[in-house]
Amino acid sequence: MPKLCKFTSPGDGKPVYVNPDQVAVVYQFKGEPPDTIIAFRKDFVLGVKESVDEVVAALERASSKQGE
């Protein structure tokens, strides 16, 4: 079972959980305020409150722990 990463929904502040194996790309949408977007496939994206650097670090940590 893959380790899920916990992030925060920007709209309501509730936790959202992401399977790092399913993530295709992480990017920042330059709006006001800027949003961090996690894309899973071409048609599904999720906005989170954390910065791009925080999201990438959490996903990398979870992926590296799976191999252990």
Side-chain angles (χ1 to χ4, degrees), residues 15-65:
V16 292
Y17 297 90
V18 173
N19 179 344
D21 292 342
Q22 300 295 317
V23 174
V25 68
V26 176
Y27 64 95
Q28 186 171 41
F29 177 73
K30 301 284 186 185
E32 200 46 57
D35 294 327
T36 301
I37 307 295
I38 301 172
F40 296 92
R41 286 178 292 282
K42 67 177 183 172
D43 57 350
F44 185 77
V45 296
L46 173 69
V48 295
K49 194 179 272 189
E50 289 77 12
S51 72
V52 171
D53 293 335
E54 291 172 313
V55 171
V56 170
L59 293 171
E60 286 178 344
R61 275 193 310 273
S63 293
S64 67
K65 287 182 182 178

